[in-house]
Amino acid sequence: MAAAAWGRLVRGARGAAARRACSSGARARAASAAAQELQSSGRGRFVLEHAAPFSAFLTDSFGRQHNYLRISLTEKCNLRCQYCMPEEGVQLTPKSELLTTQEIITLARLFVKEGVDKIRLTGGEPLIRPDVVDIVGQLYKLEGLKTIAVTTNGINLTRLLPRLKEAGLNAINISLDTLVPAKFEFIVRRKGFHKVIEGIHKATELGYRPVKVNCVVMRGFNEDEVLDFVDFTKDLPLDVRFIEYMPFDGNKWNFKKMVSYKEMLDTIKQRWPELEKLPCETSSTAKSYKVPHFQGQISFITSMSEHFCGSCNRLRITADGNLKVCLFGNSEVSLRDHLRSGASEEELIQIVGAAVGRKKKQHAGMFNISQMKNRPMVLIGG
């Protein structure tokens, strides 16, 4: 497999060179430059030396293999969460500049052929996209794709989940930052608490195991509910994931608002000293624990206090078709533009490969990130 990957890498570069010789178009020049950058990145040597059975184009210069793709289906959302969207809202991209359904499937197919085996649909709120069930159904047909997941605010989940499950959806993350209805309205600036709770129960009824519940913990907002969320896992097969508050454009991030996972863990252990640490996969972003005899478990996403960049296997495509190789990086490559200008599959692969090759060893740290220009979370897709 390594030899084949290296062969493809070399053939791709030769193909790009041939196209340079016969075409003066910007698309060919871009693909050619990407191929040269790919060769010089050292990734080809890594694949050859380490015999990694994985696409050279999705393996970066630090040996990280990216088999997990997150695709944002829309920039729109029916909530206005304070950590995700500025209070004044965001300027939405014109519909003509967003990826069409066919473009989403075309790009997904390309990444799956290169080794991606998990795709997560995000937003905005992905379940407000009218053809979301059809998109899941088309993804389900892609050979080699093992997991189709969605991250949702849960407002439309009860109504859509039976059809989504039938179409092939096999993993769910539901965002819920409080168990107090009045506080829910304050945090998300909208009503809908009971719909979210109903969606969580519907997911468990339909057999999803576990149902992941994403909770962004913010000092002064909901840190006093951490124990209640742990207790929420007692009788339900949930994985409540406590997420450290992260800086994004317009969310008024402040270090004093961030509650570190160690602080949360100490609080939980005071109540449940028997808390058990669970094993986790190498590429997992979560540190997982379980209270003995509880049906569910808890996890911590420690992006700020203890980053997991060294094992990152994720890539992101925004709703307007830009590839982001790092959630906190502001470097993007428009796959939409190349796709619409008629780029071949080979050219697209080389452009993706060059972008992956530029991925840095780790993010800049929470204080530097807070000063960097980046999209609001709602325009990234999480």
Side-chain angles (χ1 to χ4, degrees):
M1 288 292 291
W6 175 246
R8 284 176 52 217
L9 188 65
V10 173
R11 287 195 299 274
R14 288 173 178 168
R19 282 189 298 279
R20 278 203 310 277
C22 66
S23 172
S24 60
R27 178 166 52 80
R29 288 197 298 272
S32 165
Q36 292 177 358
E37 184 174 349
L38 192 59
Q39 277 194 302
S40 65
S41 69
R43 251 175 319 146
R45 290 192 299 276
F46 177 88
V47 171
L48 197 61
E49 293 170 6
H50 295 267
F54 194 77
S55 167
F57 297 95
L58 299 185
T59 303
D60 68 17
S61 57
F62 303 98
R64 294 173 295 199
Q65 299 173 349
H66 297 78
N67 66 331
Y68 180 6
L69 178 66
R70 302 171 70 102
I71 303 176
S72 176
L73 297 186
T74 179
E75 297 176 345
K76 295 179 180 178
C77 188
N78 45 4
L79 299 181
R80 295 290 183 270
C81 300
Q82 297 197 28
Y83 53 83
C84 181
M85 187 185 295
E87 188 172 2
E88 65 275 12
V90 296
Q91 184 172 348
L92 298 175
T93 303
K95 184 177 180 180
S96 63
E97 296 176 19
L98 299 175
L99 291 178
T100 66
T101 299
Q102 189 53 53
E103 287 170 338
I104 290 170
I105 300 303
T106 296
L107 290 174
R109 183 180 296 112
L110 179 73
F111 278 86
V112 171
K113 284 176 68 174
E114 290 301 307
V116 163
D117 60 15
K118 178 177 181 178
I119 289 179
R120 178 174 296 280
L121 303 177
T122 67
E125 169 48 43
L127 299 193
I128 66 174
R129 181 161 173 144
D131 59 351
V132 62
V133 175
D134 179 55
I135 290 173
V136 170
Q138 291 193 56
L139 291 176
Y140 186 72
K141 297 175 183 176
L142 298 181
E143 185 176 352
L145 185 60
K146 298 176 182 177
T147 303
I148 305 172
V150 68
T151 295
T152 173
N153 61 31
I155 298 293
N156 295 335
L157 191 60
T158 299
R159 176 172 57 86
L160 289 174
L161 191 53
R163 291 165 54 206
L164 288 166
K165 181 179 174 67
E166 185 178 356
L169 185 75
N170 51 20
I172 302 175
N173 286 49
I174 302 170
S175 299
L176 179 65
D177 304 308
T178 178
L179 297 172
V180 180
K183 193 186 292 187
F184 176 90
E185 292 183 26
F186 175 72
I187 292 176
V188 309
R189 305 185 181 111
R190 296 289 187 277
K191 295 181 183 296
F193 173 80
H194 296 291
K195 289 184 179 180
V196 180
I197 296 297
E198 186 181 359
I200 290 172
H201 285 282
K202 173 61 73 172
T204 63
E205 289 170 13
L206 290 179
Y208 286 94
R209 299 289 187 273
V211 175
K212 295 183 178 180
V213 176
N214 292 348
C215 176
V216 177
V217 181
M218 297 166 284
R219 198 178 308 281
F221 283 79
N222 61 350
E223 85 279 13
D224 59 333
E225 294 188 64
V226 167
L227 297 181
D228 294 331
F229 270 102
V230 177
D231 202 49
F232 196 28
T233 70
K234 184 176 182 179
D235 300 314
L236 290 171
L238 308 179
D239 180 2
V240 172
R241 295 152 63 85
F242 296 113
I243 301 173
E244 292 180 340
Y245 183 38
M246 297 176 280
F248 290 98
D249 203 41
N251 74 351
K252 300 179 182 178
W253 184 86
N254 185 311
F255 173 70
K256 294 178 181 179
K257 290 183 182 179
M258 195 201 82
V259 183
S260 74
Y261 102 91
K262 287 187 175 179
E263 180 180 340
M264 289 185 270
L265 186 59
D266 287 344
T267 299
I268 294 167
K269 282 186 172 180
Q270 288 177 29
R271 172 78 173 272
W272 290 283
E274 70 274 26
L275 191 72
E276 298 175 350
K277 180 83 167 67
L278 299 176
C280 63
E281 298 177 5
T282 303
S283 59
S284 175
T285 61
K287 296 175 172 65
S288 298
Y289 294 80
K290 181 180 179 67
V291 178
H293 311 302
F294 277 26
Q295 276 199 48
Q297 66 184 56
I298 62 170
S299 301
F300 300 94
I301 311 298
T302 63
S303 305
M304 296 294 95
S305 64
E306 290 188 14
H307 71 75
F308 31 79
C309 302
S311 59
C312 181
N313 67 337
R314 292 154 180 75
L315 299 172
R316 290 170 171 82
I317 297 178
T318 61
D320 57 349
N322 281 9
L323 176 68
K324 285 180 72 76
V325 297
C326 175
L327 173 62
F328 302 107
N330 51 19
S331 176
E332 301 181 1
V333 176
S334 177
L335 300 183
R336 178 203 64 202
D337 289 351
H338 289 289
L339 197 59
R340 292 183 180 180
S341 67
S344 68
E345 184 175 297
E346 182 182 349
E347 290 169 330
L348 285 169
I349 289 171
Q350 290 170 355
I351 290 161
V352 168
V356 172
R358 292 191 293 268
K359 185 167 181 173
K360 297 179 180 179
K361 185 176 182 179
Q362 62 190 56
H363 67 58
M366 57 183 163
F367 296 108
N368 289 325
I369 292 171
S370 67
Q371 302 301 315
M372 290 168 55
K373 186 69 178 174
N374 195 3
R375 296 180 182 227
M377 175 64 91
V378 71
L379 298 185
I380 295 175

